[in-house]
Amino acid sequence: MSPVPTSSVNSTAKAPTSLPSLIKSPQNPNQNHWSSIWLTTIMGAQVFHCILPKLRESPSYALPLLCLLLLLLAGTRTALADDASIQTVSIGAIVDESTRIGKEHKVAMNIAVAGFNSVSNDLKLLLRFANSSRDPFQSASSAVELAKESGAQAIIGMETWQEAALVAQVGNLYRLPVISLATAPATQPSAQERWPYLVQMARSYSDQLSSISAIVRYYNWPKVIAVYEDDGYAGITSMLNLLSQYLQQIGSEVEYRVALPPLGSMADPKGVILDQLVKVLSRESRVFIVLQTSAPVAVHLFREAKNMGLIGRDEVWITTESISSILDSVNSTVISSMQGLIGTKTYYPETSKEFQNFYYSFWTEFRAEFPEELNSQPGIYAMRAYDAIKTVVTALKQVKNKTVSSENLLQSIQSTKFSGLTGEISFEEGELSGVARVYTVINVVGKSYKELGFWSSQLGFFDSVAENGGRNANIGISAALFPGLVNWPGDLKDVPRGWGMPTNAKPLKIGVPGRTSFEKFVKVETAGDPNQTTYSGYCIDLFLEVMKILEESYTFAYEFEAFNGTYDELVDCVYNKTFDAVVGDVTILANRSEHVEFTQPYAKSGLAIIVPFKSKEYRKAWLFTKPFTWRLWLISAVMLLCTIITVWALEKGSNPGFRDSPKDQNQILAAMWFILSSIFLTQKEKIHSNYTRVVVIVWLFVVFVLTQSYTANLTSMLTVPLLEPKIKDIAWLKENNKLVGCDGDSFVWDYLTNVLGFETANIMNVSSQFSYPDLLNRGNISAAFLELPYARVFLNQYCDSFTQMNQFYRFEGLGFVFQKGSPLAADVSEAILQLSEKGVLTALDQKWFAPSPECLSSSTNSDVEPLDIGGFWFLYLLSGVISTICFVVFLIRLIKKYKEVNTTPTIRMKKSIKDKLIRFWKYFEEVDTAT
């Protein structure tokens, strides 16, 4: 590899004044004619001064030496003329040679410049390096020096976005293109307006953070902890806001932020980082996302986290490219403290010939210049720097005129389009555009790491990449994400829960309602000694059953603590983290769900109204009409009438009993008696028509079913007590200012006043279930408003005196309470569903809410449902269809006989329709259909 002309603007040594330095002076790259003549004269004088003593000793050498001198001067003049025709473009490079990234930047740029200079005859690049020391102000100062004193026509480099932003301001001032190698925290909509000379070679962190949020979403981690190095600039704030935005979209959140100061500002890095990590122990989440840190800070971070036990079986560590891309360069001791880490890094193809050549050159140059580095392989930062120089080279080739200026160089850079080491390179409004970048998902295992798969914003997760950069097989968010491939911290094969397990030193603090109106749900007994508190009831037994299921996967310590306050205050204690959870009969309400998280309901809930009974004996006179609904009575009457008419029409011409009646109304009455008598199965009249026999058989079947159903339903109504609620409805209670009772500690009080509109003076607080019967019987309260589970318990004991009104207000149900985002809420919900499927909930219901013997042996439901048309429609349809068919067939045969009798055509033609109908009716009355 040919040497690369470089210089440093930070060097204080004086430049040499030798002849080669004057010729190659970067301050005067284009020598004019008079300077060339002056230099030629000086050189000739120096050569003549050297050969003059030889001429004095031997004059015979004069002619050959003179010819040699003339040839030397001519060659020198030609060389000077050639140098004058070469244009040199000075490029400033700002790197931090103390970091691995800066070292990669420098070597890659040198390789790119050397490769260009070796093949270019009329244009040369001159790199001028400046050290940034990872300080934005130092970078800006170096940029000013490069632009003002060194004549740089473009500036490349910068590791951090803060450096790039300040150098971009210098670019605005001196109108210089600034090519940033730093990753922007997020897409800057106004970047082109603020920094028109800025060109970004790296995409923003947006896609990386999106890929991390996709991982969090798949594994359903509700909370994460963000870890970052706070350099005092606003860039990290943009990253945090963007991460929070992505996590909110998937139902997760940033629970806590660990801000680490830069390494240079920490006198005791170990102590400072240790103090920050200790604060994490009080947090619930154990999913750590390392957003952005320098390599030295990352080394201290993971070492101290491992020593504290934060890289174990319950923890998850995810990093962005700032850490993932330098894993190749850290030693085995550092790698050992990162076991199980998951990271994302930019994917780049390694099969191209250009990459292979670059890889060999980089490995050789890097190893020679930085032998102290353990790994000499190039990373994404080296390839990005190489592509930055190649961008400038491609832009220079596109410049139409030979005089390169910063303005036309910027325009050419922005229109550049080529295939680089990192992929397709093109720009839009100063930002890298083109196909969405692919990121490799890695997992640290042993002394190195392995690739798990790939991710892109367009494709999601997929398991392999084709040579053209496309996907081969999409994994998809619904499938298993890297099944069996991930080695989690602590060498765990199962997915970590991502939250800290309660321990005996810090158990899960569970609040329990200390005062309840129905003790079968929760009962707290102290027996005079607060240390000997016992907890019992349906809710406690249910929680213990839930714990049995959870213990199959993990165990944790917990403790109960009674709370003597309202239920809303108890829920607020979970919100303000006084309690970690609540086990009790807490109703799931919308306003409560805004602040806490409820489990799957374990019992249905609603607002029931309990009132005393009163007798309905005064309504017994009309009881015979109750077995059928009015619709069934109506359709039965219609079918009866249709059957009567059908039987009359079919029997009129053949039954002597119908023909002997002198009037049609008498005939119809005879048919009615004929059909009605069949209802009571006493019909003894003789049937003459076969059609009538078919109709009557179907009708008798319908009558049989109806009478049996009527008898059974009427019997049921006569055998139950005729009782009804004393209260009509809620409107009657409010209109008459009746006093009602409820549990003042529950939400019911507020619901009565705010939703149902009861006056506060008309509501009585009843604190015990045993007070309701006496208050209702004495008339102190007209109704009791109880939640549905409580009403069920109450009526199971007092079914003979009280009932529930038909009005009912539904709610979500009863559930346990946890803090927002608590992973336990989902696990407990799943356990409740398992208990429901196994019948455990039913067994607990029987244990705690079994009805009393009196209520078990008698039914208090005084309203037997009347029968409706729904159960008999097919019978009516069958009867109607059969009757219609028989009547139609009979009518067709009658018309046929009528036509045979009236055979005279002239008579048929002269008669009107009315006359024909009258004649047909007379024929119908006189004819004997039996014949």
Side-chain angles (χ1 to χ4, degrees):
M1 185 66 64
S2 59
V4 181
T6 61
S7 63
S8 174
V9 299
N10 294 330
S11 176
T12 58
K14 185 176 180 180
T17 56
S18 63
L19 181 61
S21 66
L22 291 174
I23 296 176
K24 301 287 185 177
S25 175
Q27 286 80 0
N28 299 286
N30 299 317
Q31 301 294 334
N32 56 41
H33 176 69
W34 293 105
S35 297
S36 300
I37 294 176
W38 180 79
L39 289 173
T40 302
T41 304
I42 296 297
M43 290 181 62
Q46 290 183 354
V47 173
F48 184 76
H49 179 72
C50 292
I51 67 174
L52 182 60
K54 296 294 183 180
L55 290 175
R56 290 176 179 176
E57 295 176 1
S58 180
S60 61
Y61 290 108
L63 182 60
L65 290 177
L66 181 61
C67 293
L68 179 61
L69 176 61
L70 293 176
L71 290 174
L72 176 62
L73 294 176
T76 303
R77 181 67 184 85
T78 302
L80 290 173
D82 292 340
D83 284 345
S85 64
I86 297 177
Q87 185 177 5
T88 303
V89 177
S90 179
I91 304 296
I94 301 177
V95 299
D96 182 5
E97 295 187 19
S98 64
T99 66
R100 168 74 187 201
I101 297 175
K103 294 174 183 178
E104 289 192 14
H105 283 169
K106 182 178 180 180
V107 173
M109 291 182 190
N110 282 334
I111 293 173
V113 170
F116 173 74
N117 287 343
S118 65
V119 297
S120 177
N121 297 322
D122 57 348
L123 186 63
K124 301 293 183 181
L125 292 182
L126 177 63
L127 269 179
R128 292 182 173 274
F129 285 99
N131 189 18
S132 67
S133 301
R134 205 179 173 88
D135 182 0
F137 293 102
Q138 176 64 36
S139 298
S141 176
S142 298
V144 171
E145 190 172 353
L146 286 170
K148 187 176 180 181
E149 299 182 8
S150 302
Q153 292 180 287
I155 297 177
I156 301 175
M158 290 76 69
E159 288 186 27
T160 66
W161 177 249
Q162 291 74 28
E163 297 177 63
L166 288 182
V167 174
Q169 296 284 10
V170 177
N172 292 349
L173 180 64
Y174 289 94
R175 299 181 179 275
L176 289 177
V178 175
I179 302 180
S180 170
L181 303 179
T183 303
T187 301
Q188 305 284 338
S190 60
Q192 187 66 18
E193 298 178 2
R194 294 182 60 186
W195 307 299
Y197 291 87
L198 177 64
V199 178
Q200 300 181 46
M201 286 297 297
R203 293 182 181 272
S204 70
Y205 275 104
S206 177
D207 283 349
Q208 293 188 53
L209 298 181
S210 181
S211 66
I212 290 174
S213 66
I215 296 174
V216 173
R217 173 193 175 190
Y218 179 81
Y219 291 117
N220 198 27
W221 292 316
K223 295 179 181 180
V224 303
I225 295 176
V227 184
Y228 56 92
E229 183 177 343
D230 189 2
D231 52 13
Y233 299 96
I236 192 63
T237 303
S238 300
M239 290 184 66
L240 286 169
N241 293 338
L242 189 61
L243 177 64
S244 298
Q245 177 182 338
Y246 284 143
L247 292 177
Q248 287 175 2
Q249 293 173 358
I250 63 173
S252 186
E253 63 176 330
V254 177
E255 181 188 18
Y256 186 67
R257 302 177 179 183
V258 178
L260 303 176
L263 186 64
S265 63
M266 292 187 287
D268 180 17
K270 178 179 178 180
V272 173
I273 293 177
L274 187 63
D275 291 341
Q276 293 295 326
L277 293 179
V278 167
K279 299 177 182 178
V280 172
L281 298 177
S282 61
R283 302 296 172 175
E284 187 176 276
S285 176
R286 287 297 180 267
V287 179
F288 300 90
I289 298 179
V290 184
L291 292 178
Q292 180 175 298
T293 64
S294 62
V297 172
V299 170
H300 285 285
L301 170 65
F302 285 100
R303 182 183 295 123
E304 298 309 320
K306 181 181 180 181
N307 294 336
M308 290 180 60
L310 289 177
I311 302 182
R313 300 180 63 85
D314 295 324
E315 288 76 26
V316 178
W317 288 83
I318 306 175
T319 66
T320 59
E321 195 170 51
S322 63
I323 302 300
S324 304
S325 295
I326 62 172
L327 292 177
D328 292 319
S329 61
V330 297
N331 57 44
S332 58
T333 304
V334 177
I335 284 288
S336 66
S337 64
M338 297 181 175
Q339 294 299 301
L341 176 143
I342 292 179
T344 60
K345 54 186 296 187
T346 303
Y347 166 80
Y348 50 85
E350 301 180 358
T351 57
S352 66
K353 183 178 180 180
E354 183 181 18
F355 176 82
Q356 298 296 334
N357 294 334
F358 171 76
Y359 182 92
Y360 174 76
S361 300
F362 183 91
W363 190 87
T364 304
E365 295 289 339
F366 194 87
R367 189 174 185 182
E369 187 168 355
F370 303 105
E372 72 279 3
E373 290 290 334
L374 299 177
N375 178 35
S376 300
Q377 297 177 355
I380 184 62
Y381 298 107
M383 288 179 283
R384 195 172 288 158
Y386 182 91
D387 283 346
I389 296 296
K390 190 175 179 180
T391 300
V392 175
V393 169
T394 306
L396 289 173
K397 293 179 181 179
Q398 295 176 355
V399 176
K400 294 181 179 180
N401 54 5
K402 294 299 182 180
T403 304
V404 179
S405 65
S406 298
E407 294 289 346
N408 56 27
L409 181 59
L410 175 64
Q411 294 177 2
S412 183
I413 288 174
Q414 292 177 339
S415 61
T416 297
K417 187 174 183 180
F418 65 94
S419 180
L421 294 179
T422 59
E424 296 298 323
I425 303 296
S426 62
F427 302 97
E428 183 177 350
E429 296 184 353
E431 295 183 358
L432 197 63
S433 61
V435 180
R437 285 292 187 263
V438 175
Y439 293 90
T440 305
V441 182
I442 64 170
N443 180 210
V444 175
V445 181
K447 297 182 179 181
S448 184
Y449 62 86
K450 62 181 179 180
E451 294 182 353
L452 300 176
F454 305 90
W455 182 92
S456 72
S457 58
Q458 295 179 347
L459 304 177
F461 290 103
F462 50 97
D463 55 9
S464 62
V465 180
E467 291 185 1
N468 59 2
R471 68 174 182 175
N472 278 348
N474 190 16
I475 291 177
I477 200 66
S478 61
L481 190 62
F482 315 130
L485 297 179
V486 183
N487 288 75
W488 300 101
D491 200 24
L492 186 68
K493 295 300 181 182
D494 296 330
V495 179
R497 288 178 294 274
W499 55 280
M501 297 296 296
T503 61
N504 292 328
K506 188 185 178 184
L508 191 74
K509 195 173 182 180
I510 300 177
V512 177
R515 58 188 196 204
T516 58
S517 56
F518 286 82
E519 296 179 347
K520 287 192 175 184
F521 285 90
V522 177
K523 185 177 182 181
V524 180
E525 297 177 298
T526 58
D529 185 2
N531 296 324
Q532 299 296 326
T533 304
T534 59
Y535 301 88
S536 61
Y538 174 85
C539 297
I540 302 300
D541 283 0
L542 175 59
F543 180 76
L544 296 178
E545 293 294 334
V546 167
M547 289 301 301
K548 292 179 182 178
I549 294 181
L550 296 183
E551 287 173 357
E552 297 175 1
S553 302
Y554 56 87
T555 59
F556 60 88
Y558 65 89
E559 62 180 12
F560 291 131
E561 182 175 328
F563 179 80
N564 295 312
T566 66
Y567 281 80
D568 285 336
E569 293 172 347
L570 180 57
V571 172
D572 288 339
C573 286
V574 177
Y575 175 63
N576 61 32
K577 294 181 172 48
T578 302
F579 293 130
D580 298 310
V582 168
V583 170
D585 49 340
V586 182
T587 304
I588 302 173
L589 299 176
N591 62 335
R592 293 175 178 175
S593 299
E594 293 177 358
H595 307 294
V596 297
E597 188 164 344
F598 284 92
T599 64
Q600 173 79 15
Y602 59 80
K604 294 181 179 179
S605 181
L607 190 59
I609 308 171
I610 306 300
V611 295
F613 275 129
K614 71 175 182 179
S615 175
K616 298 195 297 185
E617 292 295 333
Y618 66 93
R619 298 174 59 184
K620 200 168 184 177
W622 293 97
L623 188 63
F624 72 94
T625 64
K626 298 302 181 182
F628 289 167
T629 63
W630 66 268
R631 286 186 295 270
L632 186 57
W633 282 117
L634 179 62
I635 194 67
S636 300
V638 171
M639 288 302 301
L640 175 64
L641 181 61
C642 292
T643 305
I644 290 173
I645 295 174
T646 302
V647 170
W648 170 78
L650 297 177
E651 289 291 308
K652 177 178 173 58
S654 59
N655 195 322
F658 287 82
R659 293 174 58 105
D660 296 341
S661 300
K663 296 183 179 180
D664 289 340
Q665 57 267 31
N666 293 333
Q667 297 176 12
I668 293 176
L669 289 175
M672 184 179 298
W673 168 254
F674 183 82
I675 296 301
L676 287 176
S677 62
S678 66
I679 297 178
F680 305 100
L681 303 179
T682 60
Q683 192 274 123
K684 299 180 180 180
E685 302 294 337
K686 185 177 180 181
I687 300 176
H688 292 74
S689 173
N690 290 329
Y691 300 116
T692 308
R693 289 187 179 95
V694 175
V695 172
V696 170
I697 287 174
V698 176
W699 170 252
L700 288 176
F701 178 70
V702 173
V703 168
F704 175 77
V705 174
L706 284 177
T707 53
Q708 294 300 317
S709 302
Y710 177 88
T711 303
N713 210 30
L714 181 62
T715 302
S716 299
M717 292 181 175
L718 291 173
T719 55
V720 299
L722 293 179
L723 302 174
E724 66 178 357
K726 286 185 178 181
I727 308 303
K728 297 179 179 179
D729 51 30
I730 291 180
W732 184 88
L733 289 171
K734 293 192 292 185
E735 290 173 1
N736 294 275
N737 290 324
K738 295 296 183 178
L739 198 64
V740 299
C742 71
D743 182 3
D745 290 337
S746 69
F747 76 98
V748 179
W749 185 288
D750 292 334
Y751 191 84
L752 291 178
T753 56
N754 299 331
V755 179
L756 299 183
F758 279 88
E759 297 292 337
T760 305
N762 293 331
I763 305 175
M764 177 184 292
N765 180 19
V766 183
S767 58
S768 173
Q769 70 180 87
F770 304 106
S771 302
Y772 284 106
D774 188 51
L775 293 173
L776 288 169
N777 288 327
R778 291 189 302 174
N780 296 105
I781 57 175
S782 299
F785 285 81
L786 301 178
E787 293 184 60
L788 186 60
Y790 305 150
R792 176 187 172 190
V793 173
F794 183 82
L795 293 178
N796 281 345
Q797 189 172 359
Y798 304 102
C799 58
D800 56 343
S801 302
F802 306 99
T803 186
Q804 177 181 326
M805 290 178 58
N806 290 331
Q807 283 183 295
F808 178 76
Y809 299 90
R810 186 175 300 278
F811 298 103
E812 185 65 25
L814 302 183
F816 298 149
V817 186
F818 289 88
Q819 295 176 6
K820 272 286 187 181
S822 173
L824 270 177
D827 292 346
V828 172
S829 294
E830 184 177 350
I832 291 175
L833 290 176
Q834 293 183 30
L835 293 175
S836 178
E837 295 171 359
K838 294 177 181 179
V840 177
L841 292 184
T842 303
L844 290 177
D845 287 347
Q846 293 296 326
K847 174 183 177 181
W848 289 99
F849 308 137
S852 62
E854 296 81 7
C855 295
L856 189 60
S857 60
S858 63
S859 174
T860 60
N861 185 9
S862 61
D863 292 327
V864 179
E865 293 294 329
L867 301 176
D868 204 353
I869 185 63
F872 303 96
W873 67 269
F874 180 76
L875 289 177
Y876 286 122
L877 178 63
L878 178 65
S879 177
V881 169
I882 296 298
S883 299
T884 302
I885 292 174
C886 292
F887 180 77
V888 170
V889 173
F890 167 78
L891 186 61
I892 292 173
R893 295 188 63 185
L894 184 65
I895 293 174
K896 183 177 180 181
K897 290 182 179 181
Y898 172 73
K899 289 182 177 180
E900 292 175 355
V901 174
N902 296 275
T903 58
T904 306
T906 56
I907 296 176
R908 292 199 303 265
M909 293 177 59
K910 294 181 180 180
K911 296 292 184 179
S912 64
I913 295 177
K914 180 179 179 181
D915 293 337
K916 292 179 180 180
L917 291 175
I918 293 174
R919 187 176 181 84
F920 178 77
W921 179 258
K922 290 180 179 180
Y923 174 78
F924 172 69
E925 289 183 334
E926 296 173 357
V927 70
D928 185 359
T929 56
T931 61

